[in-house]
Every structure is written in C-alpha cells, then in structure tokens.
Amino acid sequence: MYMAELRVPRDPMYVGLVRLVVAQAARLAGVPQDRVEDVKIAVAEALANGSDRDDELGASPPVEVRFGRGTAGFEVTVRGLSQPPPATADDDVVDPAIDQLDPKLRFTLIEGLTDEFSREQDGDLMRLRFVVGVT
Amino acid sequence: MYMAELRVPRDPMYVGLVRLVVAQAARLAGVPQDRVEDVKIAVAEALANGSDRDDELGASPPVEVRFGRGTAGFEVTVRGLSQPPPATADDDVVDPAIDQLDPKLRFTLIEGLTDEFSREQDGDLMRLRFVVGVT
Amino acid sequence: MELTLEHRTEGDTTVLDVAGEVDVYTAPKLREKLVELVSDGHYDLIVDMTKVEFLDSTGLGVLVGGLKRVRSHNGSLELVCNQERILKIFRITGLTKVFPIHDTLEEALS
Amino acid sequence: MELTLEHRTEGDTTVLDVAGEVDVYTAPKLREKLVELVSDGHYDLIVDMTKVEFLDSTGLGVLVGGLKRVRSHNGSLELVCNQERILKIFRITGLTKVFPIHDTLEEALS
Ligand SMILES: Nc1ncnc2c1ncn2[C@@H]1O[C@H](COP(=O)(O)OP(=O)(O)O)[C@@H](O)[C@H]1O
Ligand SMILES: Nc1ncnc2c1ncn2[C@@H]1O[C@H](COP(=O)(O)OP(=O)(O)O)[C@@H](O)[C@H]1O
C-alpha cells in the first residue's frame, strides 16, 4: 500500500495542481479514465471544503492530501480546515452575492462520485476520505 | 513564500508524477516554458540520485520534495537517499550491463540547467536544492 | 488550461461561451462576467458549456447565482451541455431540475 | 506519455524510433530493446530521437551502454535529434563528443 502525500498552502491557486497530481496518480493506479474525472471533481470538492472560511490564508494550516492505491481501490484523504458552523438557522443571512450552494452539496457530490466516502471532524480540521475502484 | 511539499515512495513509478507536479507549479510560479523543461530534468536527476542503491524499496524512507516561489525564483528541494559511496577506485568494477553514467553527471546536469544549485549530505540522506529564475 | 469567456447576442438572447476549467480558482472570473452581463441589461442568457473541461460545485454556485440575478429581472438562464461527466454533477446535486439543459446551442435557441 | 520503440532496417543500418519519455521508469525498456537488437546482429544503429519528449541522465546512460555494445562488434550508434532542450543535456554532459548527432534521419543515413 503505497501512499503519496502532498501538502499545499490553503490557496485556490493550488487546487488545479492537486487535481492534476491526484488524477495522474489515479491513472497510474489503474483507475479507468471516466472514473479519473470523478476523482478530479471529488478532490476539488474536498479541497473546497472550508474555502468559505474568512481566516487569513497565510495563517491557515496547509491542506494535506494522501493518495495512492489501497486495499479497497484508489484512496484519497484530504485533511484541512472544515467549513464554518452555520451562523444561524435563517437562510436569508447568507449573502446572495456569494453565489454559494449549500456547502453540504460538496459532500453529496463526493458521495455520488465515489465508491466509498467518510468524513471525520477533528476540532477545526476535517478529514475527508474517499475511494474509487480500480480495474 | 509559499511552498508545497510532496512525499512519495522511493519508486521509479512516481518520478513522472513528481516531474508533472513540479513542472506545473513552476509554470504557475511564472517560470518560462523553456526553463520549465530544465526544471523537469533537474527534478528527475535529483530524484534519480540514490536510485542505484540496492536497498529494499519498501524499507527506504520516502523522498521529500519541497517546491514553490521563493525569494530567488522557483525553488526546489529534494531530500532522499544519497548515492552509495564508490565501492572502489577501479572503474572496471562497474558492471557494464548497468549502463550507468558516472552518478556525478547528475549533479553536473542540475548545475548546468539551473541558476543556483547546492547539495548537503546528512548521514544516509542528501538534500539537493536548486533555483530557476522567474520572469 | 485556464478559463475563457466570450459572449455574443443572438436576437434577444445572449450566448456566453465558457471554455476551460471552472473551479474555485477561476469561478470568480465567471461570476464577474455574469454580473457584468446582467448589469449591462442582458437578462436572457444561454451559457454554452460545450467546451468546459472541468466544473465543480463552486462553478455550480456561480451558475445558480447567475440564475437568481436574471430571474430578479424576469429573465432566464439556460445551459448547453452534452458531456456526461458534467451532466452527472448537475444530476447528483439536483440542479437538472433548476436549469433547462440543452444538448446543442441550436436547440437552446429555438 | 509512455515510451514507444519501433525499429526497421534501411540497407545495412537499423533505425530505432524512440518516442515519448525516457526516464528512470521507462529506460529499462530502451535498454532491453538495444540489447535485443545487438544480440540479433544489428551492429549499426541510428537512434531517432525526434519524437522524444523527455530524456534524463538515466536515458543517456542507456545510450552510452548501447554504444559500448555495438562498438564491441565494431559497429556504430548515431543519433538523430534536433530538439534544443535535448541537445542541451548532451552538451552539458560532454556526450556530444561521444555520439555523432544529426539533425535529420536523411543526414544520418547518408
Ligand atoms: N439542488 C439544488 N442545489 C442548490 N441549490 C438549489 C437546488 N435546488 C434549488 N436550489 C436553489 O433554489 C433556488 C430556486 O430554485 P428553483 O427550483 O429554480 O426555484 P423555485 O422552486 O422557486 O421555482 C435556486 O436559485 C437555487 O439557489
Ligand atoms: N561525458 C561523458 N559522460 C559519460 N561517459 C562518457 C563521457 N565521455 C565519455 N564517456 C564514456 O567513455 C566511453 C568512450 O567514450 P569515447 O570518447 O567515445 O571513447 P574513446 O575515447 O575510446 O574514443 C563511452 O562509452 C562512455 O562510457
């Protein structure tokens, strides 16, 4: 079970890079091309988790991505800041200019695109793990 | 000074992946395309350093690559097993079937392709650092 | 591959061609473009996503935001998309019920 | 992009077309091919690297090994390469003095 690990600053600039490297690793691990597309989106969603926090970027811990062929298939774990708790139950508080979907949709997407998905809160951090089958 | 960090098993399979991700990061950092080609070769040479050791792959520590835009340009540091000390001064001992150049040529190449190059031995490990200017 | 955006008018409709990757890094550019179009009085939009190579929920959020903006002017926002990998994320998030999605631009215009 | 290898004979010469990436992962494939050609009696080789996208010192080592093999049969190994980024690494390592390098296959064959 060989795992690679990538640690990048919490900055949208790096999201494309992470997508690229995890997609390539998925291909090497034997994930078929249409599922590689699923991996790319799932990775993007996992990295976007917490991206709506207004913490200073520089002050944030880096995002950690572990990936590689595991026993269940191609496994990815993303550890980073979790999304902020909803400020209030009133939906109207969300600024419509922000154009964001319900952040929970990110989990719906990861779940819909992968074969196995779990998440774990750890204080301010969240660990998202998903698996896509290999041929 | 934003640095990303990639840790991969010491396995030739991962070399292409590392090249890909560091090259993409170099592009993002503003390294011109012809120098990105230099970065790719320099990274490959730094990773190949120590690849002629016959240690069990699984028993080796992972290779650590740090990269990003630093003060002097796009900086890359590779930390991994260093090449073995030459067994003897007698050149004929080298098995010609191995088809290897003098391992020191790797350093010559990195030096010739980059703007700044340094290396540091640390027990069994070696830290290679190079910088390529950005526009 | 970055994001490129180009618009043109076809009768009363404005077609926005989106090509490349719409992600957390590039989505602000798409948002600005939609805001600009609406503030310039383009209320009936077709977003042609035929050349989109990547779209995630950040991009979906921007499209939903665009839809809200045109609707506040009694306008419309329809999509052109025939790529299964992108249609899939509209389906998973339930947005196929929110956006009219067409296979081709011709179909969207007619 | 992986490595692909194809050979054909042109008169007394054998041309090996190398396309793709020659690195620490793929170089063993090139080494095997050269060993196979020499043991099949191909002693005059032209390695056409026009379609090589990446080459590092591991690849150089394999080419030097091939040169040693053909020389032990009084043969030759010449290269075709017109890409500056690849010629550069032959220059830096001093191997331009070891290999005859041609711009085109026609030049190498004549
Ligand atoms: N699956 C969904 N994911 C995210 N937002 C949604 C979803 N479905 C509806 N919405 C939100 O609800 C808004 C209105 O949705 P829609 O069904 O088009 O309106 P209505 O129900 O008022 O006709 C959309 O602009 C969007 O913000
Ligand atoms: N710059 C170099 N880098 C690595 N090996 C070299 C270099 N120059 C020469 N050699 C080695 O020396 C061998 C013979 O080199 P060459 O100059 O062609 O032979 P000679 O000097 O016997 O004519 C080559 O096969 C190669 O192994």
Side-chain angles (χ1 to χ4, degrees):
Chain A
M1 232 177 81
Y2 267 6
M3 288 285 161
E5 198 181 309
L6 179 63
R7 200 172 286 144
V8 294
R10 186 170 146 265
D11 182 330
M13 206 185 122
Y14 281 91
V15 171
L17 187 72
V18 177
R19 229 161 45 215
L20 183 79
V21 60
V22 178
Q24 185 61 15
R27 266 179 221 110
L28 290 174
V31 175
Q33 185 54 38
D34 60 322
R35 300 307 309 277
V36 170
E37 296 301 325
D38 296 342
V39 169
K40 279 165 80 172
I41 299 171
V43 166
E45 299 303 329
L47 287 171
N49 183 45
S51 64
D52 35 0
R53 288 176 67 121
D54 55 5
D55 304 53
E56 277 285 318
L57 275 183
S60 303
V63 181
E64 257 180 53
V65 188
R66 284 174 58 84
F67 53 97
R69 174 127 188 199
T71 43
F74 184 72
E75 289 189 24
V76 181
T77 308
V78 175
R79 193 160 163 281
L81 279 180
S82 62
Q83 69 204 39
T88 142
D90 185 353
D91 270 345
D92 293 342
V93 171
V94 176
D95 178 359
I98 295 177
D99 291 349
Q100 267 182 341
L101 296 180
D102 181 351
K104 285 202 209 79
L105 268 184
R106 296 210 183 101
F107 302 142
T108 310
L109 256 177
I110 302 176
E111 188 147 34
L113 292 169
T114 62
D115 298 330
E116 227 182 287
F117 172 54
S118 63
R119 59 197 159 104
E120 220 173 76
Q121 190 85 29
D122 172 16
D124 235 17
L125 297 176
M126 187 172 249
R127 209 179 62 98
L128 302 174
R129 177 180 168 278
F130 59 83
V131 181
V132 169
V134 299
T135 43
Chain B
M1 234 175 78
Y2 268 5
M3 288 283 161
E5 199 179 309
L6 179 63
R7 199 173 285 143
V8 294
R10 188 170 144 266
D11 181 330
M13 206 184 121
Y14 282 91
V15 171
L17 187 71
V18 176
R19 230 164 42 216
L20 183 79
V21 59
V22 178
Q24 184 62 16
R27 266 179 220 111
L28 290 174
V31 175
Q33 186 53 39
D34 61 321
R35 301 305 310 278
V36 170
E37 296 302 325
D38 295 343
V39 169
K40 278 164 80 172
I41 298 170
V43 165
E45 299 304 329
L47 287 171
N49 184 45
S51 64
D52 35 359
R53 289 176 66 121
D54 54 6
D55 303 54
E56 277 284 320
L57 275 183
S60 302
V63 182
E64 255 179 54
V65 188
R66 284 174 57 84
F67 53 97
R69 174 128 188 198
T71 43
F74 183 72
E75 289 189 25
V76 181
T77 308
V78 175
R79 193 159 162 281
L81 279 181
S82 62
Q83 68 205 39
T88 141
D90 185 354
D91 271 344
D92 292 343
V93 171
V94 176
D95 178 359
I98 294 177
D99 292 350
Q100 268 183 340
L101 297 181
D102 180 350
K104 285 202 208 79
L105 268 184
R106 295 206 185 105
F107 303 140
T108 310
L109 256 178
I110 303 178
E111 188 147 34
L113 292 169
T114 62
D115 299 329
E116 228 183 287
F117 171 54
S118 63
R119 57 198 161 104
E120 220 172 77
Q121 190 86 28
D122 171 16
D124 236 15
L125 297 175
M126 189 172 248
R127 208 178 62 98
L128 302 174
R129 177 181 169 277
F130 59 82
V131 181
V132 169
V134 299
T135 43
Chain C
M1 181 88 206
E2 281 288 296
L3 179 67
T4 62
L5 302 169
E6 266 167 48
H7 78 276
R8 63 181 185 281
T9 50
E10 301 253 355
D12 293 338
T13 308
T14 301
V15 179
L16 177 61
D17 270 320
V18 184
E21 306 189 327
V22 189
D23 66 4
V24 68
Y25 186 57
T26 60
K29 208 172 143 185
L30 177 58
R31 176 183 299 126
E32 273 168 42
K33 184 72 177 184
L34 289 170
V35 169
E36 182 195 306
L37 286 174
V38 173
S39 61
D40 288 351
H42 302 271
Y43 302 141
D44 287 298
L45 303 179
I46 295 175
V47 178
D48 188 341
M49 316 215 302
T50 310
K51 287 181 225 126
V52 168
E53 320 238 306
F54 182 84
L55 183 79
D56 64 10
S57 67
T58 311
L60 294 178
V62 171
L63 291 174
V64 167
L67 182 65
K68 287 181 184 167
R69 279 192 191 86
V70 294
R71 282 201 184 160
S72 70
H73 294 90
N74 293 317
S76 64
L77 192 159
E78 310 205 348
L79 304 175
V80 179
C81 178
N82 58 1
Q83 297 182 72
E84 179 47 34
R85 60 179 176 172
I86 288 173
L87 290 171
K88 189 158 146 184
I89 74 167
F90 280 90
R91 270 200 303 272
I92 295 173
T93 54
L95 289 172
T96 40
K97 293 188 207 96
V98 176
F99 291 104
I101 303 181
H102 307 276
D103 267 3
T104 61
L105 181 59
E106 290 64 43
E107 194 188 302
L109 284 168
S110 68
Chain D
M1 180 93 206
E2 280 289 296
L3 179 68
T4 62
L5 303 168
E6 266 167 47
H7 78 276
R8 62 180 187 282
T9 49
E10 302 252 357
D12 292 339
T13 307
T14 301
V15 179
L16 176 62
D17 268 321
V18 184
E21 306 190 326
V22 189
D23 66 5
V24 68
Y25 186 57
T26 59
K29 210 172 142 186
L30 176 59
R31 175 183 299 125
E32 273 167 42
K33 184 73 179 185
L34 288 170
V35 169
E36 182 194 308
L37 286 174
V38 173
S39 62
D40 288 351
H42 302 270
Y43 302 141
D44 287 296
L45 302 180
I46 294 176
V47 178
D48 188 342
M49 316 216 300
T50 310
K51 287 182 226 124
V52 168
E53 320 237 309
F54 181 84
L55 183 80
D56 64 11
S57 68
T58 312
L60 294 178
V62 171
L63 291 173
V64 166
L67 181 66
K68 287 181 184 166
R69 280 193 191 83
V70 293
R71 283 204 183 158
S72 70
H73 295 91
N74 292 318
S76 65
L77 192 159
E78 311 204 347
L79 304 175
V80 178
C81 178
N82 58 2
Q83 298 182 72
E84 177 48 33
R85 59 178 177 174
I86 289 174
L87 291 170
K88 189 158 145 185
I89 76 168
F90 280 91
R91 269 201 302 272
I92 294 173
T93 53
L95 288 171
T96 40
K97 293 189 206 94
V98 177
F99 292 103
I101 303 181
H102 307 276
D103 267 1
T104 61
L105 181 60
E106 290 64 42
E107 194 187 303
L109 283 168
S110 70

